[in-house]
Every structure is written in C-alpha cells, then in structure tokens.
C-alpha cells in the first residue's frame, strides 16, 4: 500500500485544511461512525475452505455471479467480473443509477499488479454477505487507475487530504454527484491491522447517509472544494525570470543533500528507481564535468543493479525496494519502469564504459522482449507481484533450492549471489553483496571468465523458475507507456548498434500508430484483445511523441518527426490552457469535480514535464520558434512551483536545463531564446487581414454581403476550409453584430493543393490573397434595434471574426483569432465580384 514518491507533497495542504476545520469535522464524524457496535456484520465464511475460484462457481462449473465488468477489457476489472458485488465500470449508467436511487457511490480504484488490491478482492469483494450490504446501500464502481489516471488523481487527492497518506486500493465514498465524503485504502473483512472492518465502514456510512444527510453533504462540499483548491494551486505560475540555471542548481543541490552515501539513491525506504533524477544529474555532468555528479549516478545504478530490485535471472527491475539497501522488493514489474531505466543505464554506460551498466540495460530489453512484448508488436503493461495469493512466490529461493538445481556448481553461484530474507517464511530474494569485479578478484577469475561461468547457471535457474505458476500478466497496451519503451529501444540501437532493438521500436511505433488511433487521428489510451478504448490523456500524446522523436534521432527518418509533430498539434488543441499555460490532463469533455494539470513527476514524467521535454526537443530539431514559445509558456506556467519544490519536477527541470545548454555539450536548443524572453510568433505575423461590406447602411430585411480579405506572406499558406487533416485548423469566418443578423451562407474559395514536409500527403490550402465572402440578411424586425433610422444602421455595428493558422513548408504556427471592423467597399468593389 505504498503511497509512492509523491505522497509527501500533500502535507502542507493537509495542515491547511486541518486548520480550517475540514479534517476535524470529518474525523469526528468517522470516529462516531466506526465505533464498535452490536450490529456489525460478520462476513460469511461457509465456503472459506474452498478456493476463491471454486467459491465463485456453481456445481456445474458456471459462474455464480456476473456483473457489468464482464464486458470490459482491463484485466484488473475482469478480475472482479464474477464477484457477488454488483460492480459497474465508471460511466453514465452507474452515475445515473446513483442519482435515480439517491444512493452514495463506493469507488474502488486499483490496478492489476497491486498486491493489496488482490487481497481486498479475495477477502472482501468475494464475500457474499459483504457484497449484499454493498449492493443494498451503495452503487459500486470499479476503476483501473492505469486506464483512468484522471480519476485516480482526483480521488487520491481526496484520500490524501483526509488521511495524510494514500495508496491502493483507493476506497472512496461519494455522493451521487461524485463529491467524496469519506476515503481510505485497504479495509479488511473484520477489524484488524488497526483498521476497521469493511462491514463496519459500510454500516456506519449508510447510517450517516440516512440519518445525517446534511452533515454528509457538508463534508462532501468541503472536501470537494479542497480537492479543487489543490488542483488549482498546482498551476500557480511564476515568470520567465525564474527560468535560469539557478533553478537547475537548486534541484541538483537537493539531490546532493538527499543522497544516501551508504546505499545509493535518495532518501529513505521505500526506494523507487530515481531514473529522472539520474538523467538530470547526467545532463549537468555533461555540461560541467563535475565528478561528484557522476559519482551519485554511478553508485546509485551499481547498488540497484546488484540489489534484489534487479531480477538477476530474468532481467528487468521491480517497481521499488521496500528496504534501504535495494534488496527486498515489492515484486511488481511495470513497463513504465523498464524503458526509463534502460535509457539511464545506457546513458551512464555511454559516459563510463562500465559493462555492468550495459548488461543491466540488455537484461531489461531481454525481459521485455520475452514477457511484455505482444505478438502484434506493442508492449504489455505489467507483471503481477503475487502467485497463488503469495507476494513474490515466483521469484523466491532457498539455499537448498539452489543447491538442488545447480548441484556442485551451487558453491560458486552462492559465493557471488546471496539471499535477502523476507519478513515471513524461509525464502529469500537473490542479490549480489559485492560487485562482479570484486568477486572475480577474490575467486581468482578474470571478470569476463567469471561472467561466462555464471551466465549458464542463471539460465538453469531461470528455466526452473519458468516452470512455476506464473504471476498474472496484464496484457493491456497503454500508449503512454509504449512511448517510453519505444524511446528506450531506439536509444538502445543508437548506443549499442543492435538492430533488433531498432526493430522492436519500429514495430511498437507502427502498432500504436496503426491500432490505437481513431478515425480522426486521436489517440486511444489502451488496447487489448483487438479493441482500443478510452480517449487518450495529455500524457499519452506527449510520451508517445517522445518515443517517436527517439526513433527520429536514431534513424534520421522524417516520418517519425512528422508523426511526433502531428501528435503535438492535437495535444495543443485538446489540452492546452491558452490563458494559464501548460496542459490539462484531460480534454475536459467529461464533467469531473476538478480539472488537473498533473504537474508533479512520479513513477513516470508528468504530462506537463513530458510536453516541456518534447517541445524542447522539437525546437532544437526543427529550429521553429513556435515550439520554443510553447515550451517557454509551459515552463513559465510552473516556474513558481518548480522554484518552491524543484525536487518534484526532475523531468521539467531537465527540459529547462536542455533548453539553456543543449544536449550532451552541444549548442543550446532554439528554445533557449524563448527562455530569455523571445517573442512568441503566431499566425498574425504572416497574414494581413481586412473586412468589407457591400452596402454603406444596414436596412431591415435587406440582404447584403460581407467579405474578409487575407493577404498571406510569400512562402506561407493558411489551411483551407475544410482542412485536409484533423490536426490542422480550418480557416473560418464568423459574422458578429449587436443587430439581429442572419448568415445565409459563407463562401470559402477554391483551395490550392500543396505538399509540405510535415504532411504525409498533399493538402488543401490558401496562399497569396484570399477572399472569404458571406451573405447576410438583417432581420425584418431590426428597425428598433437599428434606431428606427430610415437610412438604416451604420455598418460599424458589424464585425467579422477570422480564425486561421499560418504554415510554411515545414511548420505550422500557433492559430490566430482576429476580430475586424467592417468598412465600406469603396475602392474595393471588385472584392464582391463573382
């Protein structure tokens, strides 16, 4: 039930709301609700001796229960499809039923590799008596946090504010209009572990809902306001004067202060692989050649590679270590870890030449190819932590196991590897107490010779392990996480020259591009069993663009750059906050209780950090100031938050560092000019506009024409109407007036056919001088509005609004919206000629 690396960021907010009385009110009510009572329900246990699967089936083998999750594709949701709980996926049906029946909603958020999510599914949600209470009193919704990170973010914020901590499963109770009033994480079937039993929670909250609805509603309103306030505060902006090397230095100094000199890494257990921190340190090392920075990276990567967090037999890394020494792990293996870790190990190998780092990266690729790569070319999302209900069982060994399998060779193997004991049982996790170099010297081997002896021994143990019951493989494909892995494979080819890595990157990119976009070119979040679903989030666009840019850098092929630019264009249109800067997490088409910009880096880069990094790269690779301007706007939007807490933004700070200094000691990116205050060009810089009317006065019931003339600069064009691609903005004319006017038609000119380098095919566009005309009629009853002047109303009561996007042969600038006063056509009469 780890809170993850980001949990500490909520302490200030929690103190603020404690002070305001919110938490005090809620805690007092909850204590009353969950006090021991005679009416507490005892879970049924008549079938406790049966397996979970058998308990859910009838005598003929059919499922006893089937709920609405049976139609979902998420493996995590499908695990609950045959619970006695009447689960719904998040959607209109469940929300409408809650409103119609005036029942509170129980929202349970988890994911497929979460150990305690599985425990609660077996102990609580499979219990018919507990399910009866849930179905009677609540509308029950189950969410896969990996499919809906927006909901996970919002309702984890509520849990953090209420409890000061968080984790998964996240258990949230809310009103029919989705406002949370009580939350926690794992609840056992009966009171234990210092936690109330879930039946007691259900009974207490039902009683409050029925007997004290106003108190519950008040709590929900206050907590919802607090959630919104935290989301809004995340976008507290600074200004571009903060975007200096000083901000980068502050982030580096924080890493120096938190460095664990004994075990590597930063801070205390649990320890998550700090790949983004390490990449920032390496970028600064390449700039200033400070050997201390390289030491922080090298020592951390060595300790991780030797620890139990590293799968020494199968390759790849587990999600985090539960101890300070990287030895005991949580056993989940997530795709989103593998790509960034492979990249940072390769980056460090490139700088140090240490074979240990190369081997770690190659092991990651071997694991992903063997286990997480789908036959269609995409990458699956995760491998579970438990087997047969026991966490880590697939990975654990005893010394006797090893001696039995390796025979006489076990002596040498156990001289190099040791077993870190688990808290329970007699099995342990393989790790290396000392480096291979040290052990080779101690055992009298050359290092290469020792590795040649150990490699087949590891393979023998791996073959034995593969005969064990395997953990659940989550076979959904996520576009954002695939972007991270594509980027890593492309970099693997770039560093090691292994063409198989390039082939893996190409195949995954082709799969996501071909199978995970809809007919309009919009990304989908997930794919499984031949079906793509869930509109993608901003992070999906940014991280997939990151992977495509990695492929472009590795191959020089223009198509990957074009695809990345297409994704960024759609990302700008769907998610950009034009006023406040940065990007929203969602396109805001679904009403939620809060809108998040998702700014803090966690297990993966935040959507805004990823966008800043992609825009920095595009500015450098294309030389286009438009990308530099958008990058600067994004960084400026969060400059204040970065200045206050640079440790929460390692990827965004890296984007700033690259914009200031360039990559790997090269010239600064074009984006650096924007950071120094360069003006942000838009389409108005290349298009002149004016508007005319065919009459001098506006008469009631009279029909007349208006026209807009656009003069496009040489070498530039604007998109035709309709535009050839969904990601291009069509040129549009609108008529505005305080008079009751009716627009009968808008006549757009015939387009030219062009083929710019950013498009895969030809497109329709306007160039040189363009005239757009509209036929307009003043309503017959407009006399009063026109002032009853027999001569009609003045034409200055009309205005035309133009929306257009200027492009040259290789780029499109930010769109422009221009509102124009209307003049008489004197001297321009031919503008209305057919």
């Amino acid at each position: 039930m780890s809170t993850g690396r980001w949990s500490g960021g909520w302490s200030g907010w929690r103190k603020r709301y404690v002070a305001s009385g919110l938490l005090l009110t809620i805690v007092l009510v909850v204590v009353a609700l969950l006090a021991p009572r005679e009416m507490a329900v005892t879970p049924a246990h008549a079938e406790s001796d049966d397996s979970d699967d058998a308990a859910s089936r009838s005598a003929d083998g059919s499922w006893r229960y089937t709920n609405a999750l049976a139609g979902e594709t998420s493996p995590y949701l499908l695990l609950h499809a045959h619970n006695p709980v009447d689960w719904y996926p998040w959607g209109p049906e469940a929300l409408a039923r809650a409103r119609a029946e005036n029942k509170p909603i129980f929202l349970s958020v988890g994911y497929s590799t979460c150990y305690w999510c599985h425990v609660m599914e077996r102990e609580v949600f499979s219990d018919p008596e507990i399910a009866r209470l849930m179905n009677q009193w609540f509308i029950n919704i189950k969410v896969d946090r990996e499919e809906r990170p927006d909901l996970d973010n919002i309702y984890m914020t509520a849990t953090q504010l209420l409890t000061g901590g968080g984790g998964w499963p996240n258990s949230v109770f809310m009103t029919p209009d989705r406002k949370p009033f009580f939350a926690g994480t794992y609840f056992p079937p009966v009171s234990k572990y210092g936690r109330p039993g879930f039946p007691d929670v259900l009974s207490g909250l039902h009683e409050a809902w029925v007997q004290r609805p106003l108190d519950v509603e008040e709590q929900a309103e206050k907590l919802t306001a607090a959630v919104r306030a935290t989301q809004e505060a995340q976008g507290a902006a600074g200004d571009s004067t903060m975007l200096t090397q000083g901000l980068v230095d502050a982030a580096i100094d924080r890493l120096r202060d938190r460095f664990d000199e004994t075990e590597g890494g930063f801070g205390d257990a649990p320890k998550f692989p700090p790949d983004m921190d390490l990449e920032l340190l390496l970028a600064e090392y390449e700039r200033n050649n400070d050997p201390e920075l390289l030491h922080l990276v090298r020592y951390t990567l060595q300790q991780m590679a030797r620890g139990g967090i590293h799968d020494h037999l199968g390759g790849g890394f587990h999600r985090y270590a539960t101890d300070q020494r990287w030895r005991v792990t949580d056993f989940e293996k997530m795709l989103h870890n593998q790509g960034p870790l492979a990249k940072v190990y390769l980056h460090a190998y490139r700088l140090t030449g240490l074979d240990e780092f190369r081997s770690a990266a190659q092991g990651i690729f071997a694991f992903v190819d063997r286990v997480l790569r789908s036959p269609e070319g995409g990458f699956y999302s995760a491998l579970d932590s438990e087997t047969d209900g026991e966490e880590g069982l697939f990975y654990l060994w005893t010394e006797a196991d090893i001696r039995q399998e390796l025979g006489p060779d076990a002596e040498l193997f156990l001289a190099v590897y040791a077993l870190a004991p688990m808290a329970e049982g007699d099995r342990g996790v393989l790790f290396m107490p000392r480096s291979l170099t040290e052990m080779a010297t101690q055992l009298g081997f050359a290092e290469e010779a020792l590795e040649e002896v150990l490699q087949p021994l590891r393979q023998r143990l791996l073959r034995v392990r593969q005969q064990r019951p395997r953990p659940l493989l989550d076979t959904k494909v996520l576009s954002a996480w695939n972007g991270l892995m594509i980027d890593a494979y492309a970099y693997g080819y770039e560093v090691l020259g292994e063409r198989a890595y390039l082939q893996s990157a190409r195949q995954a990119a082709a799969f996501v591009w071909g199978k995970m976009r809809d007919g309009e070119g919009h990304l989908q979040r997930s794919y499984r069993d031949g079906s793509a679903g869930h509109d993608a989030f901003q992070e999906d666009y940014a991280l997939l663009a990151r992977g495509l840019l990695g492929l472009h850098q590795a191959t020089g092929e223009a198509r990957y750059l074009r695809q990345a630019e297409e994704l960024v264009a759609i990302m700008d249109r769907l998610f950009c906050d034009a006023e406040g800067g940065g990007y929203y997490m969602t396109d805001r088409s679904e009403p939620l209780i809060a809108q998040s910009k998702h700014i803090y880096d966690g297990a993966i880069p935040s959507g805004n950090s990823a966008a800043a990094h992609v825009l920095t790269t595009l500015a450098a690779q294309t030389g286009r100031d438009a990308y530099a301007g958008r990058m600067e706007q994004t960084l400026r939007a969060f400059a204040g938050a970065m200045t206050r807490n640079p440790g929460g933004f390692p990827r965004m700070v890296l984007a700033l560092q690259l914009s200031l200094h360039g990559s790997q000691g090269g010239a600064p990116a074009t984006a650096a000019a924007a950071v120094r205050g360069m003006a942000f060009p838009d389409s108005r810089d290349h298009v002149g506009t004016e508007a005319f009317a065919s009459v001098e006065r506006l008469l009631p019931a009279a029909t007349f024409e208006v026209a807009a003339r656009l003069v496009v600069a040489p070498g530039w064009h604007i998109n035709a109407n309709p535009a050839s691609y969904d990601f291009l903005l069509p040129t549009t004319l609108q008529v505005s007036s305080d008079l009751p006017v009716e627009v009968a038609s808008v006549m757009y000119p015939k387009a030219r056919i062009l083929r710019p380098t950013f498009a895969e095919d030809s497109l329709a566009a306007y160039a040189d001088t363009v005239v757009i005309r509209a036929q307009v009629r003043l309503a017959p009853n407009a006399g009063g509005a026109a002032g009853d002047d027999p001569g009609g109303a003045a034409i200055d009561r009309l205005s035309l609004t133009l929306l257009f996007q200027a492009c040259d042969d290789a780029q499109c600038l930010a769109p422009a919206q221009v509102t124009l006063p209307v003049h008489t056509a004197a001297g321009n009469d031919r503008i209305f000629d057919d």
Side-chain angles (χ1 to χ4, degrees):
M1 292 179 288
S2 167
T3 60
R5 61 184 290 171
W6 40 266
S7 60
W10 299 101
S11 58
W13 281 104
R14 185 167 183 262
K15 290 176 183 176
R16 184 174 305 177
Y17 286 103
V18 167
S20 73
L22 170 65
L23 282 180
L24 180 60
T25 300
I26 292 176
V27 168
L28 287 175
V29 173
V30 169
V31 168
L33 294 179
L34 302 185
R37 63 189 72 206
E38 292 183 4
M39 64 172 287
V41 178
T42 302
H45 56 273
E47 298 176 336
S48 60
D49 293 333
D50 296 336
S51 70
D52 295 320
D53 188 71
S56 300
R57 292 184 182 272
S58 302
D60 62 0
S62 62
W63 292 108
R64 290 187 177 183
Y65 313 102
T66 298
N67 55 52
L69 299 182
E72 296 297 299
T73 59
S74 160
Y76 175 67
L77 298 186
L78 290 172
L79 283 173
H80 299 76
H82 301 292
N83 292 159
V85 178
D86 188 13
W87 289 116
Y88 286 90
W90 181 278
E93 183 180 1
L95 299 175
R97 183 181 168 193
R99 290 190 296 269
E101 299 181 15
N102 191 32
K103 285 184 178 179
I105 294 168
F106 170 59
L107 174 68
S108 178
V109 183
Y111 57 105
S112 67
T113 62
C114 165
Y115 174 72
W116 286 101
C117 298
H118 294 320
V119 172
M120 196 163 180
E121 188 275 330
R122 287 191 297 268
E123 293 184 346
V124 176
F125 303 143
S126 295
D127 187 292
E129 190 57 31
I130 296 177
R132 181 183 65 80
L133 299 183
M134 295 173 66
N135 297 338
Q136 180 180 348
W137 293 335
F138 301 90
I139 303 301
N140 303 289
I141 298 178
K142 175 62 73 171
V143 165
D144 182 341
R145 68 179 293 255
E146 294 168 356
E147 286 189 334
R148 292 298 304 264
D150 55 336
L151 298 176
D152 178 58
N153 180 65
I154 289 170
Y155 291 106
M156 182 56 72
T157 300
T159 303
Q160 292 272 354
L161 288 169
L162 278 171
T163 69
W168 296 274
N170 189 25
S171 303
V172 183
F173 293 84
M174 54 191 181
T175 64
D177 54 357
R178 298 158 296 164
K179 296 177 180 178
F181 59 86
F182 181 72
T185 54
Y186 165 77
F187 290 103
V190 295
S191 298
K192 58 181 178 179
Y193 312 132
R195 297 170 181 265
F198 198 57
D200 291 329
V201 174
L202 298 174
S203 299
L205 294 175
H206 171 66
E207 179 181 313
W209 181 260
V210 172
Q211 298 183 9
R212 286 178 282 176
L214 295 180
D215 290 341
V216 173
E217 186 64 31
E218 181 182 4
Q219 291 181 74
E221 291 293 338
K222 288 182 178 179
L223 182 54
T224 299
V227 170
R228 287 173 180 156
T230 62
Q231 302 296 333
E232 292 169 1
Q234 289 180 4
D239 59 66
S240 57
T241 63
M242 298 178 175
L243 301 176
T244 66
Q245 181 61 33
L247 198 158
V248 179
D249 292 340
I252 297 294
D253 289 343
R254 183 177 182 275
L255 292 174
R256 292 183 204 262
D257 292 343
R258 298 183 67 243
F259 182 65
D260 184 341
E261 296 282 356
T262 305
E263 305 297 341
F266 307 97
D268 301 322
K271 280 186 165 180
F272 290 77
D275 51 273
M276 286 177 275
D277 294 327
L278 300 180
E279 288 284 12
L280 176 60
L281 289 168
L282 287 176
E284 271 294 276
Y285 167 74
E286 291 180 282
R287 182 183 73 85
N288 62 21
N289 292 314
D290 182 347
E292 182 189 2
L293 302 185
L294 186 60
H295 165 71
L296 302 184
V297 176
R298 182 172 57 222
Y299 190 66
T300 297
L301 290 177
Q302 288 172 332
Q303 293 299 100
M304 286 168 49
R306 297 167 193 171
I309 192 173
H310 183 200
D311 183 352
H312 292 273
L313 301 183
F317 284 77
H318 300 288
R319 191 165 74 96
Y320 66 91
T322 60
D323 68 332
Q324 193 77 9
R325 307 177 72 181
W326 303 102
R327 292 183 177 179
V328 180
T329 177
D330 72 321
F331 301 106
E332 301 169 46
K333 295 178 85 171
M334 315 294 292
L335 179 67
H336 67 64
N337 280 125
Q338 311 309 319
L341 280 173
K343 242 194 129 173
V344 74
Y345 270 106
L346 287 168
H347 194 172
Y349 169 69
R350 200 173 205 173
L351 295 174
T352 66
L354 290 175
D355 285 339
E356 185 176 13
F357 296 163
R358 174 183 51 78
S359 296
Q362 289 173 323
I364 291 171
F365 292 138
F367 160 70
V368 172
D369 277 337
R370 188 180 67 253
V371 178
L372 297 184
R373 186 176 174 186
S374 78
E376 295 173 280
F379 300 111
Y380 298 141
S381 60
L383 191 64
D384 203 353
S385 63
E386 67 166 32
T387 309
D388 295 336
E390 184 173 339
E391 192 169 23
L393 181 63
F394 183 70
Y395 301 97
L396 299 176
W397 299 86
T398 65
E399 184 176 323
D401 293 335
I402 293 171
R403 291 190 181 279
Q404 178 179 339
E405 299 302 336
L406 297 184
D409 294 329
E411 205 65 43
L412 176 64
F413 186 87
L414 291 170
V416 177
Y417 295 95
L419 293 170
M422 297 290 290
E424 299 178 357
D426 60 349
R427 299 186 175 208
V429 185
L430 277 174
F431 74 99
M432 295 178 68
R434 290 171 294 281
S435 71
L436 191 65
T437 303
E438 292 176 273
M439 290 309 305
T441 301
Q442 181 177 324
L443 296 171
F445 281 83
E447 185 174 339
E448 296 80 4
L450 179 57
E451 173 58 23
E452 287 180 5
V453 174
L454 291 172
Q455 197 273 340
L457 301 184
R458 291 195 299 266
Q459 287 298 313
R460 285 163 62 183
L461 292 179
L462 178 61
R463 285 194 292 271
V464 171
R465 195 178 81 179
Q466 288 175 326
Q467 302 307 310
R468 298 173 176 175
R470 299 196 179 194
L472 170 72
L473 179 64
D474 189 328
T475 55
K476 69 175 178 289
V477 178
L478 298 173
S479 51
W481 297 9
N482 271 249
L484 290 170
M485 202 68 229
I486 291 166
D487 189 31
Y489 270 107
Y491 191 63
Y493 168 70
E494 188 179 341
V495 173
L496 302 178
E498 178 58 62
R499 293 201 64 82
Y501 297 160
L502 177 60
Q503 184 67 8
S504 292
R506 287 188 191 277
Q507 289 178 348
F511 171 80
V512 177
W513 194 257
K515 299 287 189 179
M516 297 183 68
R517 295 189 306 149
D518 65 16
E520 298 180 343
H522 293 174
L523 270 180
Q524 299 297 288
R525 171 70 174 179
S526 64
Y527 176 97
R528 185 173 181 267
D529 288 347
S531 176
H534 299 285
D535 290 341
F537 298 91
Q538 182 264 329
E539 68 177 28
D540 294 297
Y541 285 88
L543 291 173
L544 182 58
R546 174 74 263 161
L548 293 169
L549 288 174
L551 264 171
H552 171 65
Q553 180 172 319
T555 65
E557 294 180 21
R559 59 173 167 152
Y560 295 122
L561 179 61
R562 290 197 301 268
Q563 289 174 347
E565 290 191 277
E566 182 172 339
L567 290 176
V568 169
I570 298 175
M571 179 181 76
D572 284 345
R573 182 159 54 82
L574 294 181
F575 305 101
C576 184
D577 180 356
E579 295 182 0
Y583 295 88
Y584 287 103
M585 193 174 189
T586 72
D587 64 6
R588 288 151 291 153
S589 60
E590 179 182 357
L592 302 174
I593 64 167
Q595 294 293 343
S596 173
K597 287 190 176 178
H598 188 211
I599 66 172
Y600 292 103
D601 294 323
I604 64 173
S606 76
N608 278 281
S609 290
H613 199 268
V614 163
L615 291 168
T616 302
T617 303
L618 284 172
Q621 291 188 358
T622 68
R624 296 175 198 160
D625 293 329
Y627 291 127
R630 271 174 277 167
M631 181 277 301
E632 189 271 341
Q633 286 180 325
T634 302
L635 292 178
R636 186 176 59 205
F638 308 112
M642 280 195 287
T643 301
R644 291 188 296 272
N645 179 24
F649 300 85
R651 193 67 176 177
M652 195 174 289
V653 173
L654 176 60
L656 172 60
Q657 197 271 356
L658 294 176
S659 74
L660 292 171
H661 307 294
S663 174
Q664 299 176 353
T670 303
V675 174
R676 292 192 294 270
M678 181 176 179
F680 179 21
D682 68 17
S683 297
R684 285 169 290 192
D685 298 331
H686 302 281
V687 181
T689 54
E690 52 188 340
F692 304 95
S694 62
V695 296
E696 295 185 359
R697 304 287 292 180
L698 306 179
L699 300 174
T703 298
F704 58 95
E705 286 191 4
V706 294
R709 180 162 58 198
L710 300 91
V711 181
V712 184
W716 291 82
H717 62 268
I718 56 178
N719 303 314
N721 190 326
S724 298
Y725 292 92
D726 180 69
F727 68 94
L728 297 177
L729 189 75
T731 299
T732 305
L733 171 70
Q734 293 181 327
V735 180
S736 302
S737 178
D738 62 343
L739 299 173
V741 296
E742 303 166 357
V743 178
S745 63
V746 179
M747 295 157 280
Y748 292 98
K750 183 178 180 181
R752 297 186 184 183
I753 303 301
L754 304 176
R755 185 166 184 173
T757 58
F758 65 79
E760 296 182 355
D761 202 352
S762 57
L763 56 81
Y766 304 139
D768 301 326
T769 298
V770 183
V771 176
I772 304 173
R773 295 160 53 192
Q775 193 171 69
V776 184
R777 180 174 180 263
L778 189 62
N781 60 352
D788 292 320
D789 186 338
I795 61 170
D796 62 7
R797 297 179 68 175
L798 282 178
S799 63
L800 302 187
T801 299
L802 289 167
L803 182 65
F804 56 88
Q805 182 178 31
C807 308
D808 64 9
D809 187 54
Q811 67 175 317
C812 286
L813 300 181
Q817 181 171 296
V818 180
T819 299
L820 304 169
V822 176
H823 305 287
T824 62
N828 292 277
D829 301 54
R830 295 188 63 183
I831 200 170
F832 294 106
D833 291 347
D834 290 331

